[in-house]
Amino acid sequence: MSERISTIRVQWIHTLQAFLITLSALAPQTYAGTTPAYATHGMVVSQSGYASQAGVKILQEGGTAVDAAVTTAFVLAVTHPSAGNIGGGGFLIYRPSTGSPVAYDFREKAPAAAHEKMWLDKNGKYDKQKHHYSHLAVGVPGTVAGLHLAWKQNGKLPWARLVQPAIDLARDGFPVSHGLARDLQSRLKRFQPYAATMAQFTNAGKPYQPGESLKQTDLAATLTRIAESGPAGFYQGKTAELIVAEMAANGGIITRDDLANYSAVQRKPIIGSYRGYDIISMPPPSSGGVTLVQMLNILEGYDLRQSQFGSAETMHLMAESMRRAYRNRALHLGDPEANPEMPIARLTSQGYALELRESIVSEKATPSSLKGFEWPHESDETTHLSVVDAERNAVSLTYTLENSYGSGIVVTGAGFLLNNEMGDFNPAPGLTTEAGLIGTHPNLTQPGKRMLSSMTPTIVAKDGKLVMATGSPGGRTIINTVLQTIVNVVDHRMNAQEAVDAGRFHHQWFPDRIQYEGQRFSPDTLQLLKGYKHTLREIDRQGSAHIIVVDRERNVLEGGVDHRRPDTAAVGY
Ligand code: DON
């Protein structure tokens, strides 16, 4: 592991040396280690060094945080294909240094022919394969529309300039890192049924070796159409034709109209308050903001600084907050257009937090109460990026294909992967089983509906000034990872890197257990938690947070990159 990271570091040092030569005054630097990355003017933190670097170049050319986020996201679609995407969807929170914050929703939508029983076979039995791994599992993609909408409202540089770095990398290729080579190799079996996927992600049928160049010429052509025509280069014309042909030939249901009718939406963020800090996060169709604010509201009643990071008391109180907020997530949240009655104001109110807090017993786990009720599988491949520019405008963006490499289906002739986001809808009405299915109404499949998400891009501010941009992949664990980065900074006063490195844990109501990162918590703490009657489960790792924290005393940006996954980079200038 450490050998791999140092190889990556060396790789990046070489790339950066080349980059530094091209810049005279404001030279970017890449950082790694337990101290955070520092930057004076602007910074981009993402899962790919190419992406962070391209984003910072945009900042240096006078682009806004949104401009840089757009470039970073397009480059991720080339260099981090497991989650970076143009065939998926996501969410973006933008907080300008003056004015109101805004949320952009570019979550995928169900095609018009979708319906709530489409995941049942002719005998009425739930068909998991169809729901998660088929052309039917593909939602109408939102990324291109969402990035364009955010840019139209907040960008400064020309759109085509922002897409160009991704085109160059797709057309000319880039050396495959050790991490990417290993990842691609591990997915070979999933790629095998799809000729276009095999052509794109193998070297003539053989796994790519580290250092070999990955060229994606069809993707470069699609990105060029997007650069030239904006969303029309994706949702209409040749790209749309290729998507529709891919669907028609393989039992998919996305039509030309579904694509033409897709639009991204600007929404009002969920705004909470935690110990005097403003919490600005994503509203439904993400469950992230509502759930995060509920947990922080509960935790505000306890002195976590005093009970300290990693103590049994702190972990117990946090796990109990998670349990309660995740229960409400399951019961109440879904697409806002399809569920106009969601009790969001109540769920995020202080009064309700007080009620929930009163039900928490010290040193004693509250058993989760719905018998036999478990969560369905949710994948953990998504990616997050944070950007802050010289004016302290900030972007927090999380987007996904759902599973790693989404559906595994590359659109023939168009060179990009399609999501399998329809799997985030509940399987069927009333189908809540001990095997782990949820059939609650708010998140059932309906035409044109957006599926519930856990993605939680979040920005924290205080007294009108930016404090932090945070977010992470990790399926349902995302909300808890984001919670912990915030508590680590606000309560435990960690710097950005410490806040990312610190051990993570997760409770989601059902299954009724705390899962925690092994080797990162003291055995004494774990023993105490068992004594409180918590069930514990050790896991390897949780999430991959990319955060930026403003050190307000020195007016310096701190970047925290997550070394739980390879190839990450904070680049600042
Ligand atoms: O939207 C969601 O919540 C899921 N589709 C996200 C999947 C995910 O985070 C995978 N991440 N690593």
Side-chain angles (χ1 to χ4, degrees), residues 251-527:
I253 51 172
I254 293 179
T255 63
R256 193 181 289 264
D257 280 352
D258 286 322
L259 292 166
N261 291 338
Y262 183 87
S263 57
V265 191
Q266 182 189 324
R267 299 192 189 276
K268 261 173 80 172
I270 294 287
I271 310 255
S273 155
Y274 181 61
R275 306 195 201 282
Y277 290 79
D278 306 324
I279 309 296
I280 304 154
S281 192
M282 198 63 211
S286 176
S287 58
V290 174
T291 309
L292 175 69
V293 166
Q294 268 176 87
M295 296 192 287
L296 288 169
N297 283 347
I298 299 172
L299 291 170
E300 198 169 35
Y302 304 106
D303 188 349
L304 298 184
R305 177 157 180 74
Q306 202 262 327
S307 60
Q308 292 189 36
F309 175 85
S311 70
E313 183 181 352
T314 298
M315 287 179 76
H316 170 67
L317 295 172
M318 292 180 77
E320 291 302 319
S321 308
M322 293 168 182
R323 180 201 305 280
R324 285 156 176 78
Y326 272 74
R327 173 181 181 276
N328 288 328
R329 175 195 186 276
L331 294 180
H332 298 295
L333 301 181
D335 178 287
E337 272 75 43
N339 300 282
E341 308 289 322
M342 284 185 290
I344 292 175
R346 172 166 158 75
L347 292 175
T348 55
S349 71
Q350 299 288 349
Y352 183 57
L354 183 66
E355 265 175 50
L356 293 177
R357 207 182 297 131
E358 279 171 353
S359 69
I360 296 178
V361 182
S362 129
E363 301 185 5
K364 190 161 173 247
T366 314
S368 294
S369 63
L370 212 67
K371 245 187 164 176
F373 186 61
E374 271 190 24
W375 293 96
H377 162 78
E378 198 171 283
S379 101
D380 68 354
E381 195 53 67
T382 294
T383 193
H384 178 81
L385 62 100
S386 296
V387 182
V388 175
D389 67 21
E391 291 169 16
R392 301 299 182 249
N393 304 305
V395 169
S396 179
L397 186 161
T398 314
Y399 72 155
T400 189
L401 289 163
E402 162 56 0
N403 271 130
S404 199
Y405 301 91
S407 59
I409 301 164
V410 166
V411 177
T412 305
F416 65 89
L417 280 158
L418 290 166
N419 68 81
N420 61 338
E421 217 74 56
M422 295 291 278
D424 276 1
F425 281 120
N426 295 346
L431 189 62
T432 300
T433 72
E434 290 188 13
L437 306 176
I438 298 179
T440 49
H441 178 78
N443 190 37
L444 290 173
T445 310
Q446 284 169 3
K449 190 171 171 181
R450 291 177 150 97
M451 55 297 279
L452 185 65
S453 172
S454 298
M455 291 186 282
T456 315
T458 300
I459 293 178
V460 180
K462 190 164 196 260
D463 305 328
K465 295 242 167 63
L466 178 69
V467 171
M468 175 176 186
T470 180
S472 175
R476 217 165 282 134
T477 65
I478 291 173
I479 318 171
N480 286 332
T481 295
V482 171
L483 169 77
Q484 285 164 83
T485 59
I486 294 172
V487 166
N488 289 346
V489 169
V490 170
D491 291 291
H492 304 308
R493 312 210 184 141
M494 295 183 189
N495 71 39
Q497 192 58 54
E498 291 163 344
V500 167
D501 289 344
R504 297 181 185 142
F505 62 97
H506 172 73
H507 195 299
Q508 58 174 37
W509 185 40
F510 280 106
D512 185 353
R513 65 183 179 216
I514 298 173
Q515 62 180 40
Y516 65 95
E517 292 184 319
Q519 309 301 322
R520 292 181 193 242
F521 294 97
S522 126
D524 300 355
T525 293
L526 300 174
Q527 207 49 44

Side-chain angles (χ1 to χ4, degrees), residues 55 67 84 103 108 117 121 129 183 211 213 234 249 291 349 386 395 466 472 477 502 515 524 546 559 568:
D67 286 328
E108 296 91 331
K117 295 196 178 152
D121 66 16
Q129 185 69 18
D183 200 34
S213 178
F234 184 87
T291 309
S349 71
S386 296
V395 169
L466 178 69
S472 175
T477 65
Q515 62 180 40
D524 300 355
H546 296 114
T568 54

Side-chain angles (χ1 to χ4, degrees), residues 169-181:
L169 281 157
R171 184 195 55 227
D172 302 339
F174 63 95
V176 169
S177 69
H178 284 260
L180 180 56

